[in-house]
Amino acid sequence: MKKAGKWVATPLFTVLILVETTDIIFAVDSIPAIFAVTQDPFLVFTSNAFAILGLRAMYFLLADLIHRFIYLKAGLAAILVFVGIKMLLLDVYKVPIWLSLTVIAASITVAVLASLRVTRDVKAPSSLAAPASHPADADESNDSEVTGR
């Protein structure tokens, strides 16, 4: 936005910088995961570029379902343990790509399916619903109006 002929940053610009910074942090965070699958620099670069482009869209797609994925953290932890072991064993044994992809896909699939099965009867928390008020709260507000407290 221009103010007095000069470009100035607005609060929206600050939010945009923060959102893009978190996209980059998440993309950098995924580098060890892609190295578990391949050592090809082109694939590492393109997968992170697509991660930056797709993370926000994926968040909005899954935002209403995230409360149901209760085992997702455990599944991701299992993948990180596998990747760590694979990296430690790199000089001793090279784990085949098909095995890495199988372990990653199986971990995520089991975590998601188990989560959905356990939480199949759970309703989404409504963030738009009015907060429940306690009858005692109403009495206190009336007292303060009368007494001036």
Side-chain angles (χ1 to χ4, degrees):
M1 173 168 107
K2 281 191 173 184
K3 194 178 229 182
K6 293 184 179 181
W7 285 99
V8 295
T10 63
L12 183 60
F13 180 73
T14 306
V15 170
L16 178 68
I17 296 298
L18 288 173
V19 167
E20 294 305 322
T21 302
T22 58
D23 283 351
I24 291 170
I25 289 170
F26 283 124
V28 170
D29 186 44
S30 68
I31 290 174
I34 191 63
F35 274 124
V37 176
T38 183
Q39 298 292 322
D40 185 6
F42 177 74
L43 290 177
V44 172
F45 174 76
T46 54
S47 70
N48 281 303
F50 284 117
I52 291 171
L53 293 173
L55 278 176
R56 196 173 313 117
M58 183 69 78
Y59 170 77
F60 288 113
L61 177 69
L62 296 175
D64 290 336
L65 291 176
I66 198 69
H67 69 279
R68 293 192 57 198
F69 298 138
I70 59 174
Y71 297 126
L72 190 58
K73 287 182 183 179
L76 294 175
I79 292 171
L80 288 175
V81 168
F82 172 74
V83 169
I85 291 171
K86 182 179 172 181
M87 293 174 114
L88 287 173
L89 295 176
L90 191 60
D91 293 332
V92 179
Y93 177 73
K94 183 168 173 24
V95 177
I97 292 174
W98 65 267
L99 181 61
S100 295
L101 289 175
T102 303
V103 169
I104 291 168
S107 296
I108 291 175
T109 302
V110 167
V112 167
L113 291 178
S115 296
L116 292 176
R117 184 170 185 214
V118 168
T119 61
R120 69 177 146 232
D121 296 329
V122 175
K123 301 287 187 214
S126 177
S127 60
L128 300 177
S133 62
H134 192 272
D137 295 339
D139 292 341
E140 289 175 9
S141 64
N142 291 338
D143 287 345
S144 63
E145 290 174 5
V146 173
T147 60
R149 289 188 283 166

